[in-house]
Amino acid sequence: MSQVPTLSHLQFLVLSRLRVGPATGREVRHQLEQHAVRKSGPAFYQLMARMEDAGVVKGWYQQQIVDSQIIRERHYEITAQGQSAWKTSSDFYRRMTDGLPAKGLAHG
């Protein structure tokens, strides 16, 4: 049997978004909301800090001036390690669900 992936469902969703390209924290949070996942700002940025510590994402601040105010926004991108972790998780769940009827998944 295959080893269970180390990514949580939230981490998988974050990495799925970042596979498209770098994004701001605000954009990633919006993507999570599209999947009915609501995280407070502090909880979201704690999740992202753990993902940075794990080496699956890289983050940096970008500064801009809006209405004479300096705004610092956090940006993220997936790392090679993150790409590998995402693929491992995706392959695992694909193998686990191969042959299952679609209706069975939708209706439990």
Side-chain angles (χ1 to χ4, degrees):
M1 176 167 232
S2 301
Q3 180 179 351
V4 175
T6 57
L7 294 178
S8 71
H9 68 288
L10 290 177
Q11 292 169 327
F12 185 82
L13 285 173
V14 167
L15 293 180
S16 294
R17 166 55 187 92
L18 294 177
R19 290 182 77 236
V20 176
T24 64
R26 184 172 26 88
E27 291 168 333
V28 175
R29 283 181 71 197
H30 178 73
Q31 183 69 37
L32 292 176
E33 289 172 0
Q34 299 303 307
H35 293 282
V37 176
R38 299 200 187 279
K39 298 289 265 178
S40 69
F44 170 77
Y45 287 104
Q46 287 172 359
L47 166 70
M48 296 307 292
R50 286 191 303 272
M51 292 180 74
E52 281 188 78
D53 290 345
V56 295
V57 300
K58 175 185 167 195
W60 68 93
Y61 284 101
Q62 193 165 9
Q63 192 169 289
Q64 59 183 334
I65 299 176
V66 177
D67 294 329
S68 302
Q69 290 189 318
I70 297 173
I71 306 293
R72 287 180 43 168
E73 193 165 35
R74 193 81 172 147
H75 291 252
Y76 298 95
E77 69 182 359
I78 192 169
T79 64
Q81 184 177 339
Q83 290 279 9
S84 177
W86 184 91
K87 184 172 180 352
T88 297
S89 294
S90 178
D91 290 349
F92 172 83
Y93 289 115
R94 188 171 295 115
R95 282 191 307 275
M96 295 301 290
T97 59
D98 277 350
L100 291 177
K103 280 187 173 182
L105 291 176
H107 300 288

